[in-house]
Amino acid sequence: TLTCEPETPLCCRRDHYVDFQELGWQDWILQPEGYQLNYCSGQCPPHLAGSPGIAASFHSAVFSLLKANNPWPLGTSCCVPTARRPLSLLYLDRNGNVVKTDVPDMVVEACGCS
Amino acid sequence: QGVRSVCPSCGAPTLAPQAERALVLELAKQQILEGLRLTSRPRITNPPPQAALTRALRRLRQESVAPATGEEVISFATTTDSSTSTCSSTLTFHLSTLPSRHLYHARLWLHVLPALPGTLYLRIFRWSPRRRRRGSRTLLAEHQMTGPGWHALTLPSSGLRGEESRFLKLQLDCRRLEGNSTNAQQPQWLLDTVGDQRPFLELKIQPNEPGAGRAKRR
């Protein structure tokens, strides 16, 4: 997937690493020390509609539909996450118990155009 | 920069780096609390001692063969009214939400001190203060322990479910095993209740499948 550079206008993944120490939460989140808070941003012009940032087959299907119906689609295509993974957290709950849990879909791995 | 750059997605003026960073940190807090189904970060009033925590986590890492799905909880016994001359103790565990029906694995970890005389026959009861009679107890499991050190005693997960109380009380009752009979006289047995080797409960809970309850009702 495309990782955003400052001047990238097209749909890409913007990476931010968040350290729990920076949040002041290192006293109750034991593991890991931080995580990737990524999000998707950028434009999705018509010729990119349906390009999920990874596989092309879906893109070509949408593209041929666009050509078959009308050259200027009314709807817009948005830059959205197309692949995400869970985050495993080890933390202390309010009673001092240690809880290990997997939070689903926490980290955005790839972005693409809807 | 001189020219105010605009957001490539929505055309609004982009934020200054510090402002963007502050926004990202706020987003991170929301995302984590949502992911853990918490409304605010927990205020830890009595964190377990670091050594006890490290020891418990190391034990579990050694023990867990396959990564468990769902949630795992380690709860340290916070109070015991063990009379140190005998080994009948009551362990109290503060569980935020007492294990729901998705609890599928429960073990009580006890550290027996080297003064253990021979084989111990241990019975573990669940003490329920809310039954008809004043505090009644239900037998959960019986174990035999020989030798000092850590013992992981399996408990029936069905016996730990139910009751909305936030406290789980387990009563230990042990006898010395001599031949096939148990000696009524209670042996000397010390439990480390406040140090690094205090007892702890290890629970594994299946994730709440969204809509699972509905499927079951149907």
Side-chain angles (χ1 to χ4, degrees):
Chain A
T1 190
L2 206 56
T3 306
C4 295
E5 299 301 334
E7 63 286 343
T8 314
L10 294 182
C11 177
C12 57
R13 188 192 70 209
R14 199 168 291 280
D15 291 356
H16 283 275
Y17 179 74
V18 174
D19 188 313
F20 294 132
Q21 190 116 19
E22 206 175 346
L23 298 181
W25 282 9
Q26 74 289 350
D27 62 321
W28 67 283
I29 298 184
L30 306 173
Q31 289 287 332
E33 292 178 1
Y35 82 110
Q36 282 294 130
L37 188 154
N38 306 330
Y39 58 88
C40 303
S41 90
Q43 290 156 8
C44 282
H47 68 278
L48 273 183
S51 65
I54 299 177
S57 58
F58 172 61
H59 174 212
S60 50
V62 171
F63 202 46
S64 53
L65 276 176
L66 279 176
K67 277 188 291 187
N69 294 319
N70 59 7
W72 307 114
L74 300 178
T76 54
S77 167
C78 305
C79 181
V80 293
T82 52
R84 292 189 287 190
R85 64 178 155 82
L87 175 69
S88 196
L89 283 175
L90 190 73
Y91 67 95
L92 288 177
D93 73 6
R94 65 172 184 264
N95 297 308
N97 299 320
V98 183
V99 183
K100 175 192 164 295
T101 190
D102 294 333
V103 185
D105 292 343
M106 192 74 168
V107 182
V108 172
E109 287 200 303
C111 300
C113 292
S114 61
Chain B
Q1 301 87 354
V3 177
R4 296 282 299 163
S5 57
V6 294
C7 164
S9 282
C10 61
T14 50
L15 295 168
Q18 297 82 353
E20 182 182 13
R21 188 66 189 159
L23 183 65
V24 164
L25 295 182
E26 266 321 297
L27 274 175
K29 287 184 176 180
Q30 285 170 24
Q31 199 185 26
I32 289 166
L33 291 177
E34 250 169 56
L36 297 178
R37 296 188 298 275
L38 298 174
T39 51
S40 62
R41 59 145 291 170
R43 294 288 159 208
I44 317 293
T45 48
N46 56 338
Q50 188 59 43
L53 196 52
T54 311
R55 195 181 297 273
L57 293 176
R58 190 181 317 127
R59 285 215 159 278
L60 293 186
R61 203 168 297 131
Q62 288 161 4
E63 284 282 327
S64 66
V65 283
T69 57
E71 209 162 75
E72 292 181 69
V73 178
I74 295 176
S75 183
F76 290 93
T78 46
T79 56
T80 61
D81 43 21
S82 67
S83 46
T84 49
S85 60
T86 66
C87 61
S88 65
S89 314
T90 299
L91 307 179
T92 302
F93 299 92
H94 294 237
L95 295 171
S96 304
T97 51
L98 210 59
S100 64
R101 61 178 180 282
H102 298 282
L103 175 73
Y104 70 94
H105 169 98
R107 282 196 300 189
L108 175 62
W109 288 72
L110 291 179
H111 185 261
V112 181
L113 298 177
L116 178 74
T119 300
L120 269 190
Y121 167 69
L122 175 70
R123 289 187 299 169
I124 303 169
F125 296 88
R126 174 176 182 174
W127 191 79
S128 306
R130 304 167 56 117
R131 300 287 166 83
R132 282 183 303 284
R133 295 191 313 280
R134 192 181 62 81
S136 65
R137 64 183 203 172
T138 313
L139 178 64
L140 286 180
E142 299 171 288
H143 289 276
Q144 290 188 16
M145 296 190 294
T146 53
W150 281 100
H151 294 265
L153 310 175
T154 301
L155 300 176
S157 47
S158 54
L160 299 183
R161 290 183 195 138
E163 280 196 29
E164 291 316 308
S165 151
R166 277 182 36 199
F167 296 98
L168 178 66
K169 282 184 179 281
L170 298 180
Q171 247 176 11
L172 308 183
D173 179 81
C174 68
R175 300 266 181 273
R176 188 175 321 161
L177 209 52
E178 280 166 358
N180 286 332
S181 65
T182 57
N183 178 330
Q185 186 243 339
Q186 293 214 332
Q188 167 79 20
W189 177 32
L190 296 179
L191 248 183
D192 178 353
T193 57
V194 290
D196 308 346
Q197 286 153 342
R198 67 177 73 179
F200 64 90
L201 204 52
E202 172 205 352
L203 306 172
K204 291 183 181 174
I205 299 165
Q206 284 292 4
N208 269 337
E209 299 302 334
R214 267 198 304 281
K216 285 213 175 47
R217 272 198 297 280
R218 215 186 357 265

